[in-house]
Amino acid sequence: MNGNWTLFKRNLSEFWKSFRRNKLGLLGGFLVLTAVLVAAFAPVLTPYSPKDIVRDENGRGLTFTPPSIHGPLGTDDAGHDVWSQLVFGARISLMVGFMAGFIAMFVGSLFGIMAGYFGGGIDNLLMRITDILLVIPDLPLMLILVATLRQMDLNISPLSVLIVVIGLLYWTSTARLIRSQVLTIKERQFVARARAIGAGHGHIIRKHILPQIMPLIVANTVLILSTAILVESGLAFLGLGDPTQPSWGTMLNFAFDRSAVTNGAWWFFLPPGLAIVWVTLGCVLLGNVLEEMLNPRLTAHHLEGDQNMVMIPAPEAK
Amino acid sequence: MTAPLLSVRNLTTEFHLPDGKIARALENVSFDVMPGQTVGLVGESGCGKTTTLMSVMRLLPASGRITSGRALLKGNDLMQLSERQMRAIRWRDMAIIFQGAMNALNPVMKVGDQIREGIELHNLMDREAAEKRVGELLEMVGIQRARRDQYPHQYSGGMRQRAMIAMALACSPSLLFADEPTTALDVMIQAQVLELLKQIQKELGLAIVMVTHDLGVVAEVCDTVVVMYGGKVAEYGSADFIYNQPQHPYTQRLLASFPGLNEPSDNLASIPGTPPRLTNLPTGCRFHPRCEVKVDACARVDPPILETSPAHYAACHLCKGKEAIFA
């Protein structure tokens, strides 16, 4: 176990060394990491609770005030602090995005691996399901699904509905990507060798297929996260978010509903928009770089290292 | 006389092609492998050598079907076993060294882990003992134990081939299939690998079935030779006999096209034409369109396999002998 740990630490430090060289990846990582940290430490970073009404020295509520000493990003129409909403909104946006992204990734990987590995009828069935989901326009379908699920009185929170709907609709591209990769891997000879040593399907998928597509899955997850966050913002902007737990999309929805634009209250609608760009851009940059890096075949060569490690067997004496 | 370790009897394998055609890749293939012996399967590309190994291991791709025949390993018919029973036998009793070791190793798995994989799957020993065994196997094939934790791309071509051999020996099988173990290696490494195989065979007493194009390799290591043509056995007998008194015209031409060191000539001899397409086999003897000594019967009647002398078989109308029945 100890050996594994040191090996893991070594791999991690090597990973970091090559990651550090990539400026775009670093930028992406920085963007994502700051957003996550801000969400995690939200209470520490905010002067008010998002529901507090900000008042001036005379106790008057401040509505639509530009950035001032009372709040770094001003206040909205009801006198709530925009900065506090933005910081707490990060929690909602990231949580919905991450959870939906992971559901999509899981379903997509499962469908992709099953379809690619088993082929034949299973492949046909799973891929036709994927095709159907691909050709239905996403946005109307999601609107209908979210609206109906809300009506059905299922006793689940509005945010969970969003998570499930996004997660169960955005796995199609992942499934296709992974299926095509599995198709090429399963024809490789080491899979035939695994069968020859007496391995069953479960073993082959776990030990030989999964490690090969893991880089793809990791990189794709990060990319799917950005999509999920964007989609969540879109749905929330259209009023399908949870008004009691506002995400960045919900903030934009409020801003437009309450005529922040006509009032010139740019501090109300610009920050959430920029925050969305911040996180999605970070995910895309990070995802692209991870995809390049997590490929062990590009890292080392057999002539590297200790030359004396090659031993030539002495020919047998005749 | 000792019982054969593996008896292949009248094995027939077909491939169902996407366009609906059926390619008969093997037809009535029969041969024996004695314990501790080396059998060479030789012939041109596409004549069914690898398919024979894959059929015996029951590792054909989804389009392949074994339509008839038996393969008795220590008396058990492999063709009758369930997939689960088959899995238990693979690697434990018969292991295979694949054609081109670079592709048969998983590029993202440490070589040592890949060697241990088979031991683990068959629950032969605990992890610590398995680790020790991996080290011993690596040393047996001339690779330092320290290389255990390296990945295949950190190995050279010859080392990968030797790692494959170590892997095949992991569960101490009694039968080893080697599918062109020396192709794609340079001559020096080829010699090393062959030397290693011979040495291991002597130490462990295993039987080897070797698929190869290289008649030099056959002469060097094989006791018995099966010459295949178009999915059928053309000639089958001891290596000595086949080299010195080849009966089948195909074997004769094959041997003639191998340049000798003693009588170098400017032109390499070759057999005109190409092996038959398996979807469109010629009538009669499969070799007759390319045969120089064909007679009328060759185009009409498929020659039966004849026992031309004790334990030597050839399928040719020109040979004399009584018809051999493999049952």
Side-chain angles (χ1 to χ4, degrees):
Chain A
M1 232 42 248
N2 212 354
N4 279 348
W5 173 239
T6 48
L7 195 73
F8 176 74
K9 273 202 301 199
R10 208 187 63 206
N11 285 345
L12 207 66
S13 79
E14 270 169 22
F15 178 81
W16 173 241
K17 245 192 270 170
S18 56
F19 185 74
R20 214 173 41 187
R21 278 197 294 263
N22 196 315
K23 294 286 180 290
L24 281 180
L26 271 185
L27 178 62
F30 170 76
L31 296 179
V32 175
L33 196 68
T34 46
V36 171
L37 286 178
V38 164
F41 293 106
V44 188
L45 296 169
T46 49
Y48 310 96
S49 147
K51 298 208 171 98
D52 286 348
I53 291 172
V54 182
R55 292 169 197 283
D56 64 8
E57 298 79 4
N58 309 321
R60 278 189 311 157
L62 294 169
T63 56
F64 275 150
T65 46
S68 65
I69 51 157
H70 299 295
L73 288 176
T75 60
D76 69 2
D77 61 311
H80 303 309
D81 180 36
V82 173
W83 166 252
S84 307
Q85 286 187 54
L86 187 74
V87 169
F88 277 92
R91 289 186 160 185
I92 309 299
S93 282
L94 290 182
M95 187 189 71
V96 174
F98 275 52
M99 290 178 77
F102 282 120
I103 293 178
M105 208 54 235
F106 181 78
V107 177
S109 307
L110 193 73
F111 268 53
I113 291 172
M114 290 295 153
Y117 183 79
F118 290 106
I122 297 178
D123 182 26
N124 226 331
L125 178 75
L126 295 180
M127 281 302 111
R128 292 303 77 77
I129 297 175
T130 313
D131 287 346
I132 290 170
L133 279 179
L134 263 176
V135 295
I136 301 178
D138 302 329
L139 200 57
L141 179 63
M142 279 190 299
L143 292 177
I144 293 166
L145 275 178
V146 172
T148 4
L149 283 172
R150 293 257 176 95
Q151 293 292 313
M152 287 202 323
D153 227 11
L154 290 173
N155 201 19
I156 43 177
S157 74
L159 284 186
S160 313
V161 171
L162 272 187
I163 291 171
V164 171
V165 169
I166 298 173
L168 292 185
L169 286 183
Y170 275 88
W171 52 266
T172 47
S173 60
T174 312
R176 294 200 144 254
L177 190 72
I178 290 190
R179 171 180 172 269
S180 65
Q181 197 62 26
V182 171
L183 278 179
T184 72
I185 291 168
K186 79 161 178 181
E187 296 303 326
R188 304 268 297 273
Q189 206 164 23
F190 60 81
V191 175
R193 176 187 64 78
R195 288 182 64 204
I197 68 175
H201 297 312
H203 178 92
I204 292 176
I205 291 176
R206 259 185 304 116
K207 289 273 184 156
H208 295 282
I209 307 268
L210 212 52
Q212 294 268 334
I213 54 171
M214 216 51 209
L216 195 66
I217 292 184
V218 170
N220 207 254
T221 307
V222 182
L223 294 177
I224 287 275
L225 286 183
S226 72
T227 314
I229 290 170
L230 266 182
V231 170
E232 190 275 336
S233 305
L235 290 178
F237 175 68
L238 293 174
L240 293 171
D242 183 351
T244 62
Q245 288 173 293
S247 69
W248 293 332
T250 321
M251 284 177 73
L252 285 174
N253 173 259
F254 287 169
F256 278 79
D257 273 0
R258 298 168 193 176
S259 47
V261 185
T262 43
N263 283 311
W266 53 268
W267 56 89
F268 192 12
F269 59 83
L270 269 189
L274 290 176
I276 294 167
V277 173
W278 181 284
V279 174
T280 49
L281 184 68
C283 285
V284 170
L285 290 177
L286 189 63
N288 286 339
V289 171
L290 284 181
E291 200 165 12
E292 265 171 47
M293 281 184 45
L294 290 171
N295 188 342
R297 271 160 295 180
L298 299 175
T299 50
H301 190 263
H302 73 84
L303 293 179
E304 186 173 274
D306 186 0
Q307 285 291 313
N308 298 325
M309 284 173 98
V310 186
M311 250 167 51
I312 294 166
E316 232 183 327
K318 288 268 155 59
Chain B
M1 189 178 159
T2 49
L5 180 67
L6 175 75
S7 299
V8 177
R9 288 291 173 268
N10 302 315
L11 201 61
T12 302
T13 297
E14 288 173 349
F15 284 98
H16 294 253
L17 304 180
D19 57 7
K21 283 188 189 142
I22 290 177
R24 181 160 276 204
L26 294 182
E27 190 173 322
N28 288 329
V29 172
S30 303
F31 62 91
D32 281 335
V33 182
M34 293 296 169
Q37 208 192 36
T38 303
V39 174
L41 291 180
V42 297
E44 284 161 284
S45 293
C47 63
K49 306 180 301 285
T50 302
T51 308
T52 306
L53 297 189
M54 289 302 157
S55 298
V56 171
M57 287 199 90
R58 297 215 355 231
L59 287 174
L60 291 168
S63 57
R65 298 267 181 294
I66 298 159
T67 51
S68 66
R70 290 177 299 155
L72 301 152
L73 182 72
K74 297 174 184 162
N76 288 325
D77 187 359
L78 298 174
M79 301 303 137
Q80 302 299 327
L81 297 179
S82 70
E83 181 59 30
R84 179 181 289 268
Q85 288 169 315
M86 204 57 214
R87 285 217 298 265
I89 283 185
R90 286 184 197 134
W91 226 247
R92 184 78 190 85
D93 292 310
M94 51 182 183
I96 181 165
I97 301 167
F98 280 100
Q99 198 168 354
M102 355 296 206
N103 304 324
L105 290 164
N106 186 337
V108 297
M109 205 169 157
K110 287 170 192 158
V111 175
D113 289 343
Q114 300 194 50
I115 296 174
R116 208 184 61 209
E117 207 182 0
I119 306 175
E120 258 174 9
L121 273 168
H122 291 278
N123 289 321
L124 293 181
M125 45 186 92
D126 61 41
R127 201 187 159 106
E128 207 172 308
E131 263 324 310
K132 212 171 137 233
R133 173 106 179 115
V134 170
E136 286 165 9
L137 286 164
L138 280 173
E139 279 183 1
M140 187 193 269
V141 298
I143 297 171
Q144 286 206 345
R145 277 170 196 253
R147 286 246 182 193
R148 188 221 165 278
D149 282 333
Q150 289 190 322
Y151 290 92
H153 63 254
Q154 290 162 298
Y155 276 43
S156 68
M159 286 173 73
R160 281 180 227 175
Q161 191 59 277
R162 280 185 272 143
M164 268 309 290
I165 295 174
M167 201 176 293
L169 299 173
C171 300
S172 322
S174 43
L175 179 59
L176 182 63
F177 294 137
D179 192 355
E180 300 189 26
T182 57
T183 12
L185 298 176
D186 68 57
V187 186
M188 281 303 297
I189 310 288
Q190 277 186 20
Q192 279 177 25
V193 168
L194 285 181
E195 198 57 49
L196 178 67
L197 278 174
K198 269 161 81 174
Q199 185 191 329
I200 282 165
Q201 182 175 35
K202 211 162 74 185
E203 279 171 28
L204 308 177
L206 28 79
I208 298 179
V209 178
M210 191 177 294
V211 164
T212 179
H213 302 288
D214 190 338
L215 290 167
V217 170
V218 175
E220 198 176 337
V221 298
C222 295
D223 304 302
T224 308
V225 177
V226 181
V227 181
M228 295 187 72
Y229 186 79
K232 296 192 76 168
V233 174
E235 188 162 1
Y236 165 43
S238 75
D240 271 355
F241 203 98
I242 282 190
Y243 267 83
N244 298 318
Q245 299 169 47
Q247 303 290 310
H248 197 287
Y250 178 60
T251 318
Q252 290 162 1
R253 295 303 306 262
L254 205 59
L255 286 169
S257 51
F258 194 67
L261 273 180
N262 300 326
E263 58 269 21
S265 68
D266 291 338
N267 292 320
L268 283 173
S270 66
I271 311 177
T274 51
R277 295 175 70 89
L278 296 173
T279 46
N280 188 17
L281 290 169
T283 53
C285 175
R286 287 174 186 192
F287 187 57
H288 87 263
R290 298 168 77 188
C291 188
E292 287 183 325
V293 293
K294 60 176 174 256
V295 293
D296 287 346
C298 296
R300 286 179 287 111
V301 188
D302 195 11
I305 203 159
L306 304 171
E307 185 161 13
T308 57
S309 58
H312 192 94
Y313 307 88
C316 179
H317 287 302
L318 299 176
C319 296
K320 302 272 181 295
K322 78 174 188 335
E323 195 171 327
I325 313 274
F326 290 97

